[in-house]
């Protein structure tokens, strides 16, 4: 055919499965933010098999206190070591957290701080951040997490953004904290696909170097 080229089409890179460490900043039992993580896990199982959500529970972490380091033969307390191992082993991160008083929830900030202790286990990975909050939709929480991520070398997906007004105008979660709103589900799907694409860019950029 005129104008056709004999050059071989560039080989398509096989999409690898990415482990996503998903962290909820809420410790409540019927927690909307953990509901977002459950919804993300179900979505990935059903339709984005290249992403594997690993929900990393942070409720057992002690409050950050460097007096707890280097005791009993361990650098960190056992729960902190286990948490840091799960973070270190992830390809990328999904943070889902309520906004508390215009900022990051205490439990999430505590987890970010434990992971930051040298050697920083967050560095050089892609992340997405979503928030199910009050009427604010968690915007200030999301931007504060992004700000902390600057120092921790976490690279956030810029768009789409993940602000969810959890209970306004009507609740988007049932009594057990399960996501029941199709629009929020679609928003979450687009965020996960964007995280997947960005994480792969970072990973392939590194291996190509
Ligand atoms: C201590 C505290 C402070 C809060 N501050 C805010 C806030 O600044 N902005 C906001 O939109 N919602 C605020 N909320 C509401 C929570 O973000 C909202 O209830 C959220 O859905 C809780 O998430 P969860 O269901 O995952 O626990 C606050 C709630 C608590 C308990």
């Amino acid at each position: 055919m005129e104008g056709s080229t004999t050059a071989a089409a560039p080989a398509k890179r096989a999409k690898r499965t990415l482990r996503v460490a998903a962290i909820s900043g809420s410790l409540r039992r019927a927690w909307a933010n953990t509901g977002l993580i459950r919804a993300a896990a179900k979505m990935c199982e059903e339709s984005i098999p290249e992403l594997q959500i690993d929900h990393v529970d942070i409720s057992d972490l002690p409050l950050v206190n460097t007096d707890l380091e280097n005791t009993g033969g361990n650098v960190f307390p056992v729960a902190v070591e286990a948490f840091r191992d799960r973070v270190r082993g992830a390809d990328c991160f999904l943070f889902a957290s309520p906004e508390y008083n215009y900022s990051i929830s205490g439990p999430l900030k505590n987890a970010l701080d434990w992971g930051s202790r040298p050697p920083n286990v967050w560095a050089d990975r892609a992340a997405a951040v979503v928030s199910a909050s009050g009427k604010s939709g968690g915007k200030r929480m999301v931007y504060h997490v992004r700000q902390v991520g600057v120092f921790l070398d976490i690279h956030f997906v810029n768009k789409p953004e993940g602000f969810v007004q959890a209970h306004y105008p009507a609740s988007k979660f049932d009594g057990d904290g399960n996501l029941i709103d199709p629009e929020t589900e679609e928003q979450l799907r687009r965020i996960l696909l964007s995280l997947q694409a960005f994480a792969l860019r970072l990973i392939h950029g590194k291996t190509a170097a």
Side-chain angles (χ1 to χ4, degrees), residues 24-35 96-103 131-140 164-167 173 177:
S24 169
S26 171
L27 305 187
R28 257 174 15 103
R29 260 195 310 273
W31 28 14
N33 286 281
T34 309
S97 177
E99 176 173 300
Y100 280 174
N101 299 307
Y102 283 19
S103 191
S131 181
S133 289
K135 279 194 181 176
S136 77
K139 291 187 176 71
R140 288 161 293 223
V164 180
Q165 293 179 322
H167 307 293
F173 299 85

Side-chain angles (χ1 to χ4, degrees), residues 70-90:
N70 298 305
T71 57
N74 289 325
V75 177
F76 297 105
V78 172
V80 176
E81 288 281 6
F83 167 74
R84 286 171 56 91
D85 283 349
R86 300 265 293 277
V87 170
R88 202 184 281 111

Side-chain angles (χ1 to χ4, degrees), residues 27-58:
L27 305 187
R28 257 174 15 103
R29 260 195 310 273
W31 28 14
N33 286 281
T34 309
L36 288 177
I37 290 177
R38 275 196 304 274
K42 187 162 176 271
M43 203 175 281
C44 290
E45 270 173 36
E46 289 173 358
S47 57
I48 318 177
E50 300 87 359
L51 290 183
Q52 191 188 322
I53 303 283
D54 174 25
H55 178 195
V56 180
D57 185 357
I58 59 171

